[in-house]
Amino acid sequence: MSQTVYLVQGDSSEYMQVRVLDCDTVSQAKCKILDALYKNTPFSIRPSLHEVDLEWRHGRGGHLVLCDEDMTSEGGCGWRRINRLKHYNVTDNAVMALVPRQNQLNGRMTMNGSQNYHNFYFSATLNHLHNLGFPKSLTTPILQATDEEKGGSKVWHLVKPMDESSNGNKDKHNHNKAHISEIFLTRLLATKGTIQKFVDDFFQTVLSANKVLPITVKYLFDFLDEESVRHQICDPDVALAWKSNSLPLRFWVNFIKNPDFVFDIHKTNAVDSSLSVIAQTFMDSCSTSEHRLGKDSPSNKLLYAKDIPKYKAMVNKFYCDIRELPSVSDQQMNTHLAEISRVN
């Protein structure tokens, strides 16, 4: 369920609203808060996720530091569940703060070497946890679980991986996967619709033979055309494949999949997966072969199946437009390369 938390920023009386989910892990919530707080700050100078703790300020004197794993984590049979906001009963409109990371030393919580903070944290945390419904038998502060306490436990977040050793469990697992795919299909289509204009604009920009196109591209493509003629290659798809592998697939696909090579940003796993889908679509658009899709085809292939013909037409027009541009002489090319060397 979606929730709103209010972030306290230092000594300021102003609060920042951040949208989170009650099923978010503590680290996921911290990531969303950091993204909101430092949205205009280069990632390289932002505080690391591991340098701050998330503190829930609840009522008078109730400060509770939330952790992905601690002594209250649900566990058993070799498994340990990652703590979610729901695990701590975090309510809507809760007040949060990012505080410097606390360290665990000799079984005690310390912060900047302050024993007073440890005593305060100890009493406030216990009272708060008891009020939230945790057992009265809990007589130690919430410490991050050590490796010995974890005992090599496997962790899970929303859905615990099932034991597929038996046929019954395997069939049930496959049935659940089918349902999950159906659930995410509508979200997948909705997300595609949201970013469709940006994808179209990007493809249109990189596949335009306008005045900002480097003359090196024209020079290279003319050279490839000349080589295909010199070697008496009659199949036009060969020259197209050479061009695709020299620019779109070698440069632009790498740029699509790795924007962090150019921009000071953090590429999460979710973003990486989404960019891979767009990169695959771009690769398919540059392919000269036809892709036959069926019901068993990957969802990323089916997602842009209707758009591929349009993108292929853009690729072919791009190559044709470059062919119509004025040729570049060797002298012009040498002058251009010398200028680039001088500037860089």
Side-chain angles (χ1 to χ4, degrees), residues 68-340:
D68 280 334
E69 297 182 63
D70 55 36
M71 301 303 295
T72 71
S73 298
E74 305 170 22
C77 301
W79 288 92
R80 180 184 292 270
R81 187 168 192 180
I82 302 175
N83 294 340
R84 299 139 294 136
L85 298 184
K86 187 176 182 180
H87 170 76
Y88 290 105
N89 294 328
V90 174
T91 58
D92 194 24
N93 300 323
V95 178
M96 298 284 186
L98 293 177
V99 297
R101 188 66 183 252
Q102 300 177 10
N103 299 314
Q104 177 182 332
L105 297 175
N106 299 323
R108 300 194 305 176
M109 296 297 287
T110 63
M111 182 174 180
N112 300 331
S114 173
Q115 179 63 32
N116 291 333
Y117 182 87
H118 165 68
N119 293 333
F120 161 77
Y121 175 81
F122 177 82
S123 57
T125 296
L126 289 183
N127 293 332
H128 184 56
L129 285 177
H130 295 160
N131 292 335
L132 293 179
F134 285 92
K136 291 282 187 178
S137 58
L138 182 62
T139 57
T140 57
I142 293 187
L143 301 178
Q144 293 188 5
T146 64
D147 291 337
E148 294 180 357
E149 292 165 339
K150 294 176 185 177
S153 298
K154 294 176 287 186
V155 298
W156 63 287
H157 177 201
L158 297 178
V159 179
K160 183 190 296 184
M162 297 182 62
D163 181 8
E164 300 184 25
S165 57
S166 63
N167 291 334
N169 284 342
K170 190 171 184 178
D171 292 341
K172 185 177 180 180
H173 179 64
N174 292 334
H175 179 70
N176 288 340
K177 286 179 65 177
H179 276 289
I180 291 174
S181 298
E182 292 175 2
I183 292 172
F184 282 116
L185 180 59
T186 54
R187 176 57 66 88
L188 199 62
L189 293 173
T191 303
K192 175 182 179 290
T194 301
I195 68 171
Q196 184 67 53
K197 182 182 183 302
F198 300 99
V199 175
D200 289 343
D201 288 348
F202 176 79
F203 281 26
Q204 184 63 48
T205 300
V206 301
L207 297 174
S208 296
N210 49 34
K211 60 182 180 181
V212 299
L213 183 77
I215 64 172
T216 49
V217 175
K218 169 62 178 175
Y219 186 87
L220 174 62
F221 282 15
D222 284 352
F223 169 76
L224 296 176
D225 286 334
E226 292 169 1
E227 287 300 300
S228 65
V229 172
R230 187 167 71 89
H231 291 283
Q232 299 181 354
I233 299 175
C234 300
D235 187 356
D237 289 346
V238 174
L240 290 179
W242 289 349
K243 295 174 183 178
S244 294
N245 282 296
S246 64
L247 178 62
L249 302 184
R250 179 175 293 274
F251 177 78
W252 287 118
V253 168
N254 197 28
F255 176 79
I256 294 171
K257 296 185 67 173
N258 302 285
D260 47 319
F261 286 179
V262 180
F263 304 109
D264 191 354
I265 60 174
H266 173 56
K267 183 179 66 174
T268 64
N269 292 334
V271 170
D272 182 57
S273 299
S274 299
L275 293 177
S276 294
V277 173
I278 298 174
Q280 183 61 54
T281 300
F282 193 74
M283 293 169 64
D284 292 342
S285 302
C286 295
S287 175
T288 56
S289 60
E290 294 295 330
H291 298 275
R292 295 185 178 181
L293 302 177
K295 63 178 183 178
D296 296 326
S297 299
S299 58
N300 63 309
K301 292 275 191 177
L302 297 172
L303 193 61
Y304 281 94
K306 294 182 178 180
D307 301 290
I308 294 296
K310 176 182 67 175
Y311 295 147
K312 281 192 173 186
M314 292 171 61
V315 173
N316 290 330
K317 183 178 183 300
F318 176 59
Y319 294 153
C320 291
D321 290 345
I322 291 179
R323 190 180 298 115
E324 299 300 322
L325 292 175
S327 60
V328 178
S329 65
D330 291 344
Q331 182 179 1
Q332 288 176 302
M333 187 63 185
N334 291 333
T335 303
H336 178 69
L337 294 178
E339 178 64 19
I340 292 178

Side-chain angles (χ1 to χ4, degrees), residues 11-78:
D11 297 330
S12 174
S13 59
E14 297 183 357
Y15 294 86
M16 173 181 288
Q17 293 187 28
V18 182
R19 300 291 292 179
V20 296
L21 301 175
D22 62 354
C23 61
D24 281 340
T25 66
V26 175
S27 289
Q28 287 175 331
K30 281 199 292 186
C31 283
K32 292 179 179 181
I33 291 174
L34 285 170
D35 286 342
L37 187 59
Y38 297 97
K39 63 181 179 180
N40 295 321
T41 304
F43 182 77
S44 60
I45 61 175
R46 282 173 39 171
S48 167
L49 174 69
H50 306 291
E51 294 176 352
V52 294
D53 277 328
L54 183 60
E55 184 179 75
W56 180 16
R57 299 184 176 180
H58 181 75
R60 182 178 299 175
H63 290 202
L64 177 64
V65 174
L66 312 183
C67 305
D68 280 334
E69 297 182 63
D70 55 36
M71 301 303 295
T72 71
S73 298
E74 305 170 22
C77 301

